Amino acid sequence: MLISMSEAGSFLENCDNAYILVHQSPDGDCIGSGFALHAVLKSMGKRSAVICCDPFLKKFDYITAVENNTDFEPDTVIAVDVADTKLLGKYQEIYGDKVQLCIDHHVSNVNYAERTLLDSKASATCEVLYKLFTCTMGIEISDYTALCLYTGIATDTGCFKFENTSAETHEIAGEIMRQHKLNYAKINREMFDIKTAGRLKMESAVIDIMEYYLDGKVTVICITKELLDSLGVDSNDLDGCANLPLQVEGVEVGITIKEKAPDSYKISMRSTGDVNVSEICSALGGGGHAKASGCALDGKLEDVKKILVEAVRKGMSL
Amino acid sequence: MLISMSEAGSFLENCDNAYILVHQSPDGDCIGSGFALHAVLKSMGKRSAVICCDPFLKKFDYITAVENNTDFEPDTVIAVDVADTKLLGKYQEIYGDKVQLCIDHHVSNVNYAERTLLDSKASATCEVLYKLFTCTMGIEISDYTALCLYTGIATDTGCFKFENTSAETHEIAGEIMRQHKLNYAKINREMFDIKTAGRLKMESAVIDIMEYYLDGKVTVICITKELLDSLGVDSNDLDGCANLPLQVEGVEVGITIKEKAPDSYKISMRSTGDVNVSEICSALGGGGHAKASGCALDGKLEDVKKILVEAVRKGMSL
């Protein structure tokens, strides 16, 4: 059931002993949302804990290094930034059908919870929470909560770069910064600029092996097991690498081919906007969004590449 | 003479036939400022032209591809985003001592103009102009002018990432986006994400040759003529590369050594914050800011590296 801001506010005011579930492979928005809600509930004298099936990355220590004792029986189960219970990992079985309140911004939210506060126009769940806490519930948030919420908004918008950034996103960032004098630039540097040595090595290698097709409109990178072994990098360093082929001037479609097993490949396809890669990937048995889709193909790498480039050529009507 | 917003507004209302000077190696802020002012003066029925000693990069076509006829004798000379007449290049001699109004945000502005509107708290000259046009002069800016001003603010703040981003910066971006429904994400992609193939090759090579010192707290890259030749890249592709060594996790000081002539090197030193590289470079005969400084050293490359690393070790009290 979709509920309003004030209904969500009332629910929070009346709950206690809450487990706050966030999604697997936790990112800045679900971590920021989860710990902001944890802090706000604590300030209201309530017990809560943030629960995730995966560990939090070290770069989020400034958010996650707080008291977070999970050793109690929850009376309340809340999910933040979780569009589908599948994303709860090992907690799906335990809590998937027990979520009393979900707060989210994903248009793809499958409405699994008893109550869902959904604002699909919001750039981030942290943007929804900012409005809920300050406008609806009239809470004066702490510097720590402000930092949590800023982190979620900044990370989900690529630091106000992507098209999910609205006038309201900037207005909220402005309000947060006006009321809380904190080192936002330092957070942004940690979130956007700093890379592990392994990640840098991987990016360098990917640029070196990038192939150009169709007059440079299409780029292809192949990440084989051999390549990963030779670089000594692990799968953490591959996070988000599907976006790398799009950074070249003139490219419209970027294809990343990852070797899963011998002669078996997982493909990520990204579009800068004009080409619908969802259609192209659907024709190959996959699917996704217009700008970000994927599929799986078996065969020799050279044949897989040919199939993909030919499919894109057709999709671009070249 | 420093003047107020309203004095600057009056000056613009009473001027005509204006040359608008912007600085050499023009960036998003001076181009955005120059062409925004050009458009506003035109909307007031006045003749103007943007003047620059260097060509505008192609990625700014959406701003610069407008009527910009310089074929008239100026009655008015205005400089925007120009902190010092040295930055006018070949126009310094002609107009350096004739600038009637300078609008700027650089704290380093040397106050060379008859009148200077300076707001060193502003993230960008475009932020100063937004307030001047809308608050002081009561002008309803066009979509085109909004795009110019957004571009300057976004580029000078690294898309709202750097510490010059204030609450007001976000508030202004919010106002611009609320009143002008434009494709800001597309501009951001062009400004921040897209790289030439040459630039990518250069970044890849730089990562490959990066050296780590003092437990990974210091990174050094050496850009020799031999390296540039082997990559076939030109100096445009080097723009901003001094920031590359800072992107590695744990690095506090990044050093970029560029070969100018055999056994002669120009050094850029960048700090993530805690180490004052201005002091280190001053001790080596150079100087600059606490977070970004430089110097020049002659000698064999290996000796130059040793001198630099030792100077940083001392500066970090290690």
Side-chain angles (χ1 to χ4, degrees), chain A residues 26-171:
Chain A
D27 60 8
D29 192 26
C30 79
I31 293 174
S33 296
F35 282 88
L37 180 55
H38 181 44
V40 163
L41 289 176
K42 190 173 180 183
S43 75
M44 295 163 78
K46 299 170 189 298
R47 181 159 65 171
S48 64
V50 180
I51 308 277
C52 186
C53 61
D54 289 325
F56 303 121
L57 289 180
K58 212 181 131 30
K59 68 175 177 178
F60 294 112
D61 273 359
Y62 69 96
I63 293 179
T64 58
V66 293
E67 172 281 318
N68 188 36
N69 182 8
T70 60
D71 191 19
F72 62 91
E73 269 307 307
D75 297 320
T76 309
V77 179
I78 302 171
V80 289
D81 202 43
V82 180
D84 190 314
T85 56
K86 280 191 296 193
L87 303 170
L88 296 174
K90 68 180 177 190
Y91 292 116
Q92 179 182 22
E93 218 182 297
I94 318 174
Y95 299 114
D97 58 355
K98 293 188 182 66
V99 179
Q100 293 154 281
L101 171 64
C102 167
I103 302 175
D104 194 15
H105 76 118
H106 292 99
V107 68
S108 57
N109 189 292
V110 298
N111 202 2
Y112 57 87
E114 277 178 48
R115 303 161 191 80
T116 301
L117 173 63
L118 180 68
D119 180 357
S120 61
K121 292 262 193 328
S123 66
T125 297
C126 280
E127 191 175 315
V128 185
L129 284 178
Y130 179 83
K131 290 195 275 186
L132 177 63
F133 294 155
T134 60
C135 305
T136 308
M137 299 174 73
I139 292 170
E140 277 193 27
I141 60 171
S142 67
D143 282 354
Y144 169 80
T145 303
L147 215 50
C148 291
L149 297 178
Y150 178 89
T151 299
I153 294 170
T155 52
D156 256 27
T157 58
C159 213
F160 310 95
K161 196 166 66 177
F162 303 148
E163 60 188 340
N164 61 348
T165 309
S166 68
E168 192 164 26
T169 312
H170 278 293
E171 287 157 4

Side-chain angles (χ1 to χ4, degrees), chain B residues 152-168:
Chain B
I153 294 169
T155 52
D156 255 28
T157 59
C159 214
F160 310 95
K161 197 167 66 177
F162 303 148
E163 59 188 341
N164 61 348
T165 309
S166 69
E168 192 165 26

Side-chain angles (χ1 to χ4, degrees), chain A residues 150 159-163 165-168 170-171 173-174 177-178 185 188-189 192-197 200-201 204 207-208 212 246-249 251 272, chain B residues 150 159-163 165-168 170-171 173-174 177-178 185 188-189 192-197 200-201 204 207-208 212 246-249 251 272:
Chain A
Y150 178 89
C159 213
F160 310 95
K161 196 166 66 177
F162 303 148
E163 60 188 340
T165 309
S166 68
E168 192 164 26
H170 278 293
E171 287 157 4
M177 290 180 73
R178 195 168 284 287
N188 292 334
R189 183 174 141 70
F192 302 108
D193 290 346
I194 294 182
K195 297 170 182 175
T196 61
L200 273 178
K201 263 200 279 183
S204 165
I207 294 166
D208 290 341
Y212 296 77
L246 276 195
Q247 66 185 323
V248 189
E249 205 175 13
V251 168
T272 56
Chain B
Y150 179 88
C159 214
F160 310 95
K161 197 167 66 177
F162 303 148
E163 59 188 341
T165 309
S166 69
E168 192 165 26
H170 277 293
E171 287 157 4
M177 291 180 73
R178 194 167 283 287
N188 291 335
R189 182 173 143 69
F192 302 107
D193 290 347
I194 294 182
K195 298 170 183 177
T196 63
L200 273 178
K201 262 200 280 183
S204 164
I207 294 166
D208 290 341
Y212 296 78
L246 275 196
Q247 66 185 323
V248 189
E249 204 176 15
V251 168
T272 56

Side-chain angles (χ1 to χ4, degrees), chain B residues 249-280:
Chain B
E249 204 176 15
V251 168
E252 296 181 26
V253 173
I255 302 173
T256 304
I257 305 175
K258 279 188 212 166
E259 185 182 5
K260 291 284 128 191
D263 295 335
S264 179
Y265 298 92
K266 196 182 153 212
I267 289 100
S268 301
M269 210 177 274
R270 296 285 183 272
S271 165
T272 56
D274 294 333
V275 183
N276 185 334
V277 291
S278 169
E279 286 174 10
I280 296 171

Side-chain angles (χ1 to χ4, degrees), chain B residues 63-81:
Chain B
I63 293 178
T64 59
V66 294
E67 173 279 320
N68 188 35
N69 182 8
T70 61
D71 192 18
F72 62 91
E73 269 305 309
D75 297 322
T76 309
V77 178
I78 302 170
V80 290
D81 202 42

